[in-house]
Amino acid sequence: MKSINPTTGQLIREFAELNDTELEERVARAARAFQKHRRCAFAERAECLLRAADILESEKRELARLMTLEMGKTLSSAIAEADKCAWSCRYYAAHGEYFLKAEALKTDTANCLIAYQPIGVVLAIMPWNFPFWQVFRFAAPALMAGNVALLKHASNVPQCALAIEDIFTRAGFVEDAFQTLLIGPERVARLLEDPRIAAATLTGSEAAGASVAAAAGRQIKKTVLELGGSDPFIVMPSADLPEAVKTAVTARNINNGQSCIAAKRFILHETIADAFLEQFTRAMAAQVVGDPMDEKTQVGPLATQKIRDDLHKQVQDSIAAGARALTGGHPIDRSGYFYAPTVLTDIPKNAPAYHEELFGPVASVFRVPDLDHAIALANQSRYGLGSAAWTTNAEEQQRCIEELEAGLVFINGMVASDPRLPFGGVKRSGYGRELGHAGIREFVNVKTVVLARVSATQPSLSE
């Protein structure tokens, strides 16, 4: 497993994968850890999460540098990512016990409880684009619920994966409650067949999600999938145009354009399209592309050469089909995996930019005559993760809330995850939820407990 700096293309460090014997031992240790960790009081788990948060905050610059070196996000955004992970730990430390508190209710014949109990070892298959946040938004609630975790992280961020394990170890969790597995994707199916692994969660591509869901389904195991997105960003005539443009640039280029919930399809009402497009194109062209360690940089490199090359092919194929590039449309001629911020318009239906997710700083722009067409175009995508609508008209806002086929709808704002709010998608963007109270309840046994009130006249079950 190779850690390569995407800013330079240089090899940083190489790691050997776990062999079969080592992998078996890790799974066995996780199963033993679960029997101890599940019996820890909520207060003990909360204390460990708080210590993890302290580590993240006190070492955020070192951890951020590691993220930037391995996958190329700007240093400032990596620092913010470490802070967000700490926020999630603190949130579940404060609220996890309440979210999982047994609920009492009564029927005509019994006192009943609904209990929320941990299910066991959860395999987390995580991506490289938010190498800490994607892991912590699963791990904080999972560990607070009493589960234990095995992390199979993306192969290009092994140092981040090992650093996360070290944080949980130093935080004082039961030994082996969180372990990193340095293995390739071809060994995931075998892990899912292991009866000691109770469930799996994946954030990644549509293809990866389908593969994991199929393998887990054959074993009747619970999965949560957060997959791709091709988020619409609708702008109507009543919108605050300067604010919408400013947010659109940030929303498209966040994490160097490599975010599932980045705005990707900009759907503009024809009466404001020219004004929006002129301002938006100028701002995209002005983005500072460069070394992500430099505080002036706004867009760093893409994470790997393949990601950059695949993106460029999508852009070139779209242009060949009839789309126009108003700015960008090419890799930047320098070492590393840089791509120029790009704006595509006049996109025909047969172009990749019309129906595929573009994972990089490339915006696809469309014009529509009214909200009906805007919503219809937004919903044409096979994805349904996030969506944003810019309008100050209350009726239009309500229609977007009700009719956009997405797991998240933001009105006059940028789509973002928040530990307090459920996060996930519909359609090909996956199923299940992370974060909020819904996230911590994904990997628990919702157990119904009935305490019967037996009376002298009550018939026995044998009757």
Side-chain angles (χ1 to χ4, degrees), residues 79 255 282 304 314 360 411 415:
I79 291 171
N255 207 42
R282 186 170 65 246
T304 69
Q314 288 175 304
I411 304 296
V415 177

Side-chain angles (χ1 to χ4, degrees), residues 404-416:
L404 286 174
E405 296 170 357
L408 306 95
V409 179
F410 279 58
I411 304 296
N412 298 324
M414 189 177 84
V415 177

Side-chain angles (χ1 to χ4, degrees), residues 134-183:
Q134 302 280 12
V135 177
F136 274 88
R137 78 183 190 190
F138 148 74
L143 291 170
M144 188 64 188
N147 297 305
V148 302
L150 290 172
L151 169 65
K152 183 267 173 261
H153 216 326
S155 297
N156 60 322
V157 288
Q159 293 186 97
C160 289
L162 293 169
I164 293 169
E165 179 185 285
D166 179 63
I167 289 169
F168 284 119
T169 299
R170 286 192 284 149
F173 281 97
V174 167
E175 186 178 6
D176 299 322
F178 185 100
Q179 297 180 73
T180 283
L181 308 177
L182 293 184
I183 58 172

Side-chain angles (χ1 to χ4, degrees), residues 278-333:
E278 190 275 328
Q279 296 175 45
F280 180 62
T281 301
R282 186 170 65 246
M284 287 286 284
Q287 290 287 287
V288 178
V289 181
D291 183 349
M293 292 290 185
D294 188 332
E295 64 180 15
K296 297 188 180 84
T297 294
Q298 296 169 300
V299 179
L302 300 187
T304 69
Q305 181 176 337
K306 185 179 187 305
I307 291 168
R308 184 198 62 187
D309 293 347
D310 288 348
L311 177 68
H312 185 51
K313 186 177 187 306
Q314 288 175 304
V315 170
Q316 290 303 298
D317 288 351
S318 296
I319 292 172
R324 288 192 302 132
L326 301 184
T327 187
H330 56 83
I332 294 177
D333 186 15

